[in-house]
Amino acid sequence: MSVRTRADLEQLPPYVAGRTVPGSIKLASNEVSEGPLPSAVAAINEAATEVHRYPDMGVTALTEALATHYDVAPEQVAVGCGSVALCEQLVQATCTAEDEVVFPWRSFEAYPIITQVVGAQQVKVPLTGEHALDLAAMLAAITPATRLVFVCTPNNPTGTLVRRAELNAFLDRVPGDVLVVLDEAYFEFVDDPEAPDGVEITRVRDNVVSMRTFSKAYGLAGLRAGYAIGPVRVVEALRKVSIPFSVNALAQTAAIASLQAQDELRRRCSDVVAERTRVHRELIAMGYEVPETQANFVWLPLGERTAAFNEHCLENRVVVRAFAGEGARVTIGQPDENDAFLAAAKSFG
Ligand SMILES: *Cc1c(COP(=O)(O)O)cnc(C)c1O
């Protein structure tokens, strides 16, 4: 006899992480190649001798630092074991089996997994022909059973941005009892003047929450710290479904130190943005279709050629993130890493 597990999990696709191939350049997981901010490393070293103690369960100091940084009340801030954990907590906090979660597709791989694990219904709304979120179609997909809508901007894996005016027009029409989750994991890389700022939106709407992370621009993916900013009622619900002590001590310490290093963060983000512009321009010059991107990656909608492109990059010691039959997502790395990728792209026949 074997252990009985939930039958519906048989159908669940596993989360495919970007591959790490020793000796190769990894441009597969949207990490910042430059590493953590130096002040964060110093803080981690210092805190290392204290890890026999449980972390602060209430994540008090980091929550207060975030509240000060964004000029919101600490009651409006929740920290999680990565923002992906907070995404799951939000679905848990809003949905039971009959309820629906609306999200764009293709988008962040975790959305369908989270929704199914929690046991809610998924409603996937295809992207537009320009690889952007189709907010009109997402609005049309909302039914009385909808409890939560994910809006991923910039969208992973396509890099496309939702503009402020279209987002506000959308939010004006979403029923007030439906939670809209603005997943802004790449917010720090955005430089479009028409970009929305999710935290500002949460000041004027009580059904919107903004999700950000220390994993991407801040370079702390390995430590797992993300946060949500939103209405007190939503944040309270988030806290109720969190796993005790899931934000570890080193993550809390490193996040606080990182938050205090804004100048360094800005410098590194503008370096990434400059490289993003260069990589995008060169790919277009080679004849590739590449949607405009506001994140730290580019999307190549190669369709059936994706698998061959992936193989070709691997042969050239560059690991990209391929979605078979759809396209490849390539993270912007350091200039020499990007050069290696561009050389591979150029020699792809
Ligand atoms: C990377 C990413 C996240 C979350 O990352 P964490 O490491 O869990 O904080 C969330 N949303 C999107 C769209 C991402 O790409």
Side-chain angles (χ1 to χ4, degrees):
M1 247 195 337
S2 61
V3 172
R4 280 196 279 179
T5 57
R6 271 167 52 185
D8 66 307
L9 295 185
E10 300 288 326
Q11 265 62 264
L12 191 64
Y15 187 104
V16 182
R19 287 163 67 185
T20 301
V21 181
S24 290
I25 296 167
K26 186 185 180 196
L27 301 177
S29 295
N30 299 342
E31 299 146 338
V32 169
S33 312
E34 208 180 324
L37 299 170
S39 52
V41 177
I44 292 165
N45 279 330
E46 210 165 297
T49 56
E50 294 300 317
V51 295
H52 57 303
R53 304 290 180 198
Y54 274 98
D56 172 5
M57 191 172 112
V59 200
T60 325
L62 176 54
T63 301
E64 272 169 16
L66 285 164
T68 304
H69 182 76
Y70 286 110
D71 191 23
V72 296
E75 293 74 28
Q76 291 174 271
V77 181
V79 182
C81 180
S83 61
V84 68
L86 291 168
C87 288
E88 178 162 323
Q89 286 167 243
L90 284 171
V91 177
Q92 282 177 327
T94 53
C95 294
T96 56
E98 296 76 37
D99 300 327
E100 294 172 358
V101 177
V102 171
F103 53 85
W105 198 250
R106 176 156 294 266
S107 187
F108 187 34
E109 246 190 310
Y111 300 151
I113 299 174
I114 283 167
T115 308
Q116 200 180 328
V117 168
V118 171
Q121 303 302 313
Q122 338 177 354
V123 180
K124 291 180 175 171
V125 180
L127 301 180
T128 68
E130 281 76 50
H131 314 284
L133 266 58
D134 189 341
L135 290 184
M138 288 175 66
L139 194 64
I142 295 175
T143 73
T146 308
R147 293 289 172 277
L148 189 151
V149 180
F150 282 113
V151 173
C152 187
T153 183
N155 186 47
N156 176 4
T158 58
T160 53
L161 184 78
V162 170
R163 301 264 163 357
R164 199 186 305 130
E166 56 169 333
L167 181 60
N168 276 319
F170 169 80
L171 293 172
D172 283 344
R173 296 171 66 190
V174 173
D177 61 352
V178 173
L179 180 64
V180 178
V181 180
L182 298 178
D183 187 341
E184 302 185 292
Y186 301 95
F187 181 79
E188 295 84 357
F189 301 112
V190 173
D191 69 347
D192 187 316
E194 285 178 55
D197 179 332
V199 174
E200 294 309 315
I201 293 173
T202 67
R203 295 186 204 279
V204 291
R205 297 185 191 262
D206 57 14
N207 66 330
V208 176
V209 57
S210 162
M211 314 277 291
R212 296 185 187 172
T213 179
F214 287 98
S215 295
K216 306 287 162 52
Y218 286 97
L220 296 178
L223 280 183
R224 319 301 306 125
Y227 54 98
I229 296 186
V232 174
R233 235 178 80 78
V234 175
V235 169
E236 263 170 11
L238 255 180
R239 293 219 175 97
K240 281 188 186 160
V241 295
S242 72
I243 296 174
F245 303 111
S246 57
V247 185
N248 73 75
L250 297 185
Q252 295 188 32
T253 304
I256 293 169
S258 299
L259 207 52
Q260 287 162 352
Q262 289 300 312
D263 288 350
E264 250 177 286
L265 177 80
R266 268 191 291 273
R267 181 196 52 73
R268 107 173 343 186
C269 288
S270 65
D271 288 352
V272 169
V273 168
E275 278 296 284
R276 169 176 85 198
T277 307
R278 178 176 77 94
V279 169
H280 187 268
R281 185 181 359 119
E282 294 201 15
L283 288 169
I284 297 282
M286 288 175 207
Y288 285 95
E289 180 192 352
V290 194
E292 263 193 71
T293 171
Q294 283 282 299
N296 67 334
F297 52 83
V298 289
W299 173 247
L300 287 77
L302 293 159
E304 296 309 318
R305 296 164 72 217
T306 304
F309 183 82
N310 185 40
E311 280 311 309
H312 178 77
C313 288
L314 280 175
E315 281 160 19
N316 287 276
R317 302 196 160 281
V318 178
V319 189
V320 304
R321 179 74 173 86
F323 298 88
E326 293 179 59
R329 187 193 68 198
V330 187
T331 306
I332 303 299
Q334 298 283 89
D336 58 325
E337 296 175 317
N338 301 331
D339 287 343
F341 163 66
L342 288 168
K346 192 155 198 171
S347 59
F348 178 63

